[in-house]
């Protein structure tokens, strides 16, 4: 009897996935995201693109291609206490994220594109990941997820619930593999964080298609009330 089995997942990518599952901090998901596309099944690429286009508000978001310049600490320093900008500045300072604030994700993405690494990544998905990196920390502030490992995990689940995006799907897969094969003792705390983030993302309208940089001076409580967010309490590391 002939074995007709044909692998679907690219085996070179699978080896990199296992490396990330061994130690997600040593081999971060953003590397896997960019390495996925060269050998990705076309059905997966088509499925992610179809899902993105089907989200309410996505078509206008994708058509405009809004990508503002990175915010500066001076921009945030001008924001009054109680505003989104003031809370965002505190999040950046407390988490020592000043370098992250200034990082130009657009340039990084363009560099990989020019090198041919993202030839099979659809332009709409490419734009969405760049915009997602721009907004990530600001959505931390709006949702109340802190910058601890569990806070980041909850935030990833929130993103995944709202976007069904491949970056966050890969993040969830790496986390599950790490829990299953390396650190089962962390299962309860990790799954609690994932569940809370996922349910929050499912319970409110999509907030990824908003120009939050234009609302730095809006009271944070008003924003949370408007979008229906009950902020998360601090997570233990």
């Amino acid at each position: 009897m002939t074995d007709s089995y044909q692998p679907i997942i690219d085996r070179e990518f699978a080896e990199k996935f296992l490396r990330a599952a061994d130690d997600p901090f040593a081999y971060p998901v953003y590397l896997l995201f960019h390495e996925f596309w060269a050998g990705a099944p076309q059905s997966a690429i088509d499925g992610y693109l179809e899902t993105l286009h089907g989200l309410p508000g996505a078509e206008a978001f994708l058509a405009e291609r809004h990508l503002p310049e990175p915010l500066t600490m001076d921009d945030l320093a001008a924001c009054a206490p109680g505003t989104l900008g003031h809370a965002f500045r505190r999040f950046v300072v407390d988490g020592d994220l000043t370098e992250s604030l200034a990082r130009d994700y657009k340039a990084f993405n363009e560099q990989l594109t020019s090198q041919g690494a993202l030839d099979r990544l659809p332009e709409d998905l490419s734009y969405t990941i760049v915009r997602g990196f721009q907004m990530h920390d600001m959505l931390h502030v709006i949702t109340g997820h802190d910058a601890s490992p569990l806070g980041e995990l909850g935030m990833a689940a929130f993103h995944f619930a709202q976007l069904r995006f491949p970056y966050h799907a890969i993040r969830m897969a790496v986390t599950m593999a790490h829990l299953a094969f390396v650190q089962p003792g962390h299962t309860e705390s990790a799954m609690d964080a994932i569940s809370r983030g996922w349910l929050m993302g499912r319970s409110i309208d999509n907030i990824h298609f908003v120009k939050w940089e234009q609302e730095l001076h809006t009271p944070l409580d008003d924003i949370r009330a408007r979008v229906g967010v009950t902020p998360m309490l601090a997570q233990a590391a």
Side-chain angles (χ1 to χ4, degrees), residues 93-125:
V93 171
D94 291 348
D96 194 21
L97 300 172
T98 305
E99 182 178 345
S100 176
L101 177 68
R103 188 172 296 135
D104 191 340
Y105 296 108
K106 180 181 178 183
F108 175 64
N109 188 269
E110 289 174 346
Q111 178 185 0
L112 290 175
T113 300
S114 68
Q115 295 170 351
L118 304 180
D119 284 349
R120 297 183 67 228
L121 172 61
E123 289 186 7
D124 285 345
L125 293 178

Side-chain angles (χ1 to χ4, degrees), residues 27-44:
Y27 203 79
V29 170
Y30 78 85
L31 291 178
L32 284 182
F33 173 82
H34 291 105
E35 291 164 343
F36 172 62
W37 305 99
Q42 189 60 48
S43 59

